[in-house]
Amino acid sequence: MENYKKYLGIDKNDLDEECVKQPTLYDKFASQVPDLIHSMDIAKTEMEKLYATMYQDIVSTSIGNGEKKPTDKAIDNEITSSELFQKEKLGYYEAKKEAELGKVIKESFMQRKEMIRGLIELHNSTYWSRSEKKTDLDASGSRDNRNLRRRKGG
């Protein structure tokens, strides 16, 4: 997934454009999630196939040499400690990490949509106008308080 964070920002002074861009951005990133999950599933299947093949080879070799079949624990230890299996397992973990990141990115763009909606509601309620008026009132209120204190002698 490319650098998605640069697309998460919202220009609160250009909300109409943000609304137009949102579906395209969401699709761009959300549509990658199924492919990432598919890659993770394939990596897991490959890891499991390798495990089964190695298990069968260990058992066949032991029986072919006239030995008793090793315990499942001994076979598991031999397989999981092998470099080949470790490499396959690492590939699965990397694919899983990418799939999980894809889900997080998808959720981030869902949150972006909600934030755009919230900003539009604030804009429609004249939030920014009231903020400026409140600041003006606070400043004049402070002046009035200073004048009142001066008159009282304090």
Side-chain angles (χ1 to χ4, degrees):
M1 300 224 126
E2 66 181 76
N3 184 5
Y4 69 96
K5 289 183 180 182
K6 68 182 179 182
Y7 298 107
L8 287 176
I10 300 170
D11 182 354
K12 69 180 183 181
N13 297 315
D14 200 8
L15 292 175
D16 57 336
E17 188 61 31
E18 295 295 342
C19 287
V20 170
K21 290 187 322 189
Q22 175 60 23
T24 305
L25 289 173
Y26 179 81
D27 181 62
K28 177 180 182 173
F29 291 100
S31 65
Q32 296 178 41
V33 173
D35 291 334
L36 293 170
I37 291 172
H38 181 69
S39 295
M40 178 188 73
D41 290 343
I42 288 173
K44 183 177 181 184
T45 300
E46 292 298 318
M47 182 181 70
E48 290 169 347
K49 282 181 4 185
L50 177 62
Y51 186 94
T53 301
M54 292 177 78
Y55 187 98
Q56 187 177 12
D57 289 347
I58 292 168
V59 171
S60 296
T61 302
S62 293
I63 292 174
N65 291 339
E67 300 169 3
K68 205 168 112 178
K69 176 188 173 271
T71 65
D72 284 341
K73 183 70 175 165
I75 295 170
D76 185 64
N77 287 340
E78 186 174 338
I79 292 171
T80 56
S81 65
S82 78
E83 192 173 314
L84 180 61
F85 186 79
Q86 289 294 323
K87 184 178 177 184
E88 196 70 35
K89 191 174 185 179
L90 183 62
Y92 165 67
Y93 286 149
E94 286 298 319
K96 183 176 181 178
K97 180 176 137 184
E98 287 294 314
E100 292 298 323
L101 177 61
K103 291 176 186 177
V104 167
I105 292 170
K106 179 181 175 182
E107 180 62 30
S108 296
F109 280 94
M110 287 298 294
Q111 289 179 354
R112 182 180 190 273
K113 177 183 110 178
E114 293 304 315
M115 292 302 103
I116 291 171
R117 182 176 290 146
L119 286 170
I120 290 170
E121 288 175 10
L122 287 173
H123 178 70
N124 289 341
S125 70
T126 64
Y127 171 80
W128 282 282
S129 304
R130 284 188 285 154
S131 298
E132 292 169 5
K133 289 178 186 173
K134 184 176 187 254
T135 304
D136 294 341
L137 287 174
D138 288 346
S140 67
S142 295
R143 257 188 315 240
D144 292 343
N145 288 338
R146 274 192 305 251
N147 291 337
L148 187 58
R149 279 193 297 259
R150 261 191 238 137
R151 278 188 249 149
K152 287 184 176 181

